[in-house]
Amino acid sequence: MDFGFIFSSAAGELFSPTTAAYALATLGLAVHFGYSGLLNFGQAGFMAVGAYGFAISTLTFGVPFFVGLLIAVVCSAIFALLLGIPTLRLRADYLAIVTIAAAEIVRYIVTTNQLTAVTGSANGLAAFEGDFYAMNPFPPGSYMGMNNRDFFIRIVAWAVVALLCTLVWLLMRSPWGRVLKGIREDENAVRSLGKNVYAYKMQALIIGGVLGALAGMIFTLPRGAVQPANYGTELTFFLYTCLLLGGLGTVLGPVIGAMIFWVVLSLTQGILYGLIESGAVTWLNTVQAGQLRYILVGVALMLLMIFRPQGVLGNKKELAFA
């Protein structure tokens, strides 16, 4: 078993575009749940809206990259409004029910055969990343073991994560962010001070949803394809795993959580596959090993909740509202 290859592959996941997409989507969940107390179980839906909004506008209408980006952001804001208007005046569990259902509705809509010409149905859409890579300033060659396209998408993805983490950090240190934290702790107390709790919740839902939409775009660009199977309910639960790993009410927590999540997944897969190939484990095949790694991550998460429930970067005060 080649441990050098296994560990190098796991280390490569630290700064992969997929990890950046998970970090950004989890940051959106931190705005929703960690800072505002909004129980959003449909972040995968926001990611799908962003990815499909960009892909459809590019392929069907032929818009430039930045126009497609703007369309994806606007679509995610409209999606947040549709979810928030009927639910944000009610208890938190209503938002959870609506968002998890809405995310599945989005996934089923894009797989409808009648919309195949627009959404690609179950096969999804591809070849919409041309304008993005046309902006690549790096000439063909090897950059830290990567080709120029892989290097470019990593630079852009993590630059976006850094920029938006800074923006969220500034927002949460502002009076607006302090109101959100107050709503999370006791929204009736905030309402008694004359604050429009509904408006603040809606703003938080839109901001977190936009972060999810941008994450959906970053998630699809390295692949050059968007497929509905990638936006199932389990994606939202993976994001919550990242959030719990890093810490609920933190800005860097989602980033650290996403890194830990993907490194652990890569390590467990590499070790299990290596044991199977070497013949040391005969009672597993590669398909079963792929499922077992999620079980191991689940066990690790349970242990984390027992011994450090606030996450890697969180503090126990952030657990008071959960």
Side-chain angles (χ1 to χ4, degrees):
M1 189 162 53
D2 189 351
F3 283 102
F5 176 76
I6 292 173
F7 283 108
S8 64
S9 297
E13 294 295 334
L14 280 172
F15 297 103
S16 72
T18 300
T19 303
Y22 269 60
L24 197 54
T26 307
L27 182 63
L29 278 186
V31 173
H32 286 161
F33 185 59
Y35 286 108
S36 311
L38 300 177
L39 195 56
N40 170 24
F41 279 155
Q43 191 70 338
F46 282 102
M47 293 180 69
V49 167
Y52 273 97
F54 174 71
I56 291 172
S57 61
T58 301
L59 293 175
T60 304
F61 302 104
V63 301
F65 172 79
F66 288 105
V67 176
L69 172 63
L70 179 61
I71 290 173
V73 169
V74 171
C75 287
S76 67
I78 294 172
F79 187 55
L81 286 171
L82 293 175
L83 297 181
I85 287 173
T87 61
L88 289 182
R89 296 187 188 275
L90 305 174
R91 296 198 314 265
D93 50 353
Y94 287 97
L95 179 64
I97 294 169
V98 168
T99 50
I100 195 171
E104 285 298 285
I105 289 171
V106 169
R107 190 165 65 89
Y108 282 117
I109 286 175
V110 297
T111 57
T112 303
N113 290 334
Q114 286 78 4
L115 296 176
T116 300
V118 178
T119 65
S121 189
N123 294 323
L125 298 171
F128 50 80
E129 76 283 9
D131 283 353
F132 172 75
Y133 285 110
M135 297 184 291
N136 186 357
F138 302 103
S142 179
Y143 300 85
M144 301 175 64
M146 296 170 280
N147 61 42
N148 63 327
R149 286 168 61 99
D150 290 342
F151 187 70
F152 178 58
I153 183 60
R154 287 176 188 247
I155 293 294
V156 171
W158 284 103
V160 171
V161 170
L163 176 63
L164 292 176
C165 280
T166 303
L167 178 61
V168 171
W169 181 76
L170 292 173
L171 283 173
M172 295 310 161
R173 287 172 58 89
S174 70
W176 182 84
R178 288 193 288 273
V179 172
L180 280 190
K181 295 175 186 177
I183 292 172
R184 179 192 67 191
E185 301 294 339
D186 189 344
E187 67 176 68
N188 289 326
V190 175
R191 191 177 287 111
S192 70
L193 297 174
K195 300 295 184 182
N196 189 336
V197 171
Y198 176 78
Y200 278 91
K201 284 184 175 181
M202 183 64 75
Q203 292 163 18
L205 185 63
I206 291 173
I207 290 172
V210 168
L211 293 176
L214 294 174
M217 288 182 57
I218 293 174
F219 186 71
T220 58
L221 284 173
R223 297 165 175 79
V226 53
Q227 295 177 318
N230 292 329
Y231 301 97
T233 305
E234 67 276 4
L235 174 57
T236 297
F237 295 133
F238 293 159
L239 298 176
Y240 266 104
T241 300
C242 297
L243 183 62
L244 294 173
L245 283 171
L248 291 175
T250 64
V251 173
L252 289 180
V255 179
I256 301 301
M259 289 178 171
I260 294 173
F261 179 78
W262 277 104
V263 167
V264 171
L265 275 185
S266 179
L267 272 178
T268 52
Q269 176 177 290
I271 292 172
L272 288 172
Y273 282 12
L275 291 173
I276 292 170
E277 292 172 1
S278 65
V281 173
T282 58
W283 47 274
L284 274 180
N285 57 42
T286 54
V287 175
Q288 294 168 329
Q291 300 302 317
L292 180 60
R293 65 176 181 154
Y294 288 110
I295 296 175
L296 294 175
V297 171
V299 171
L301 181 62
M302 286 189 290
L303 293 174
L304 180 70
M305 291 297 97
I306 293 171
F307 296 105
R308 190 171 176 81
Q310 68 269 33
V312 174
L313 297 182
N315 58 70
K316 292 185 178 180
K317 292 181 180 179
E318 301 293 345
L319 297 176
F321 75 97

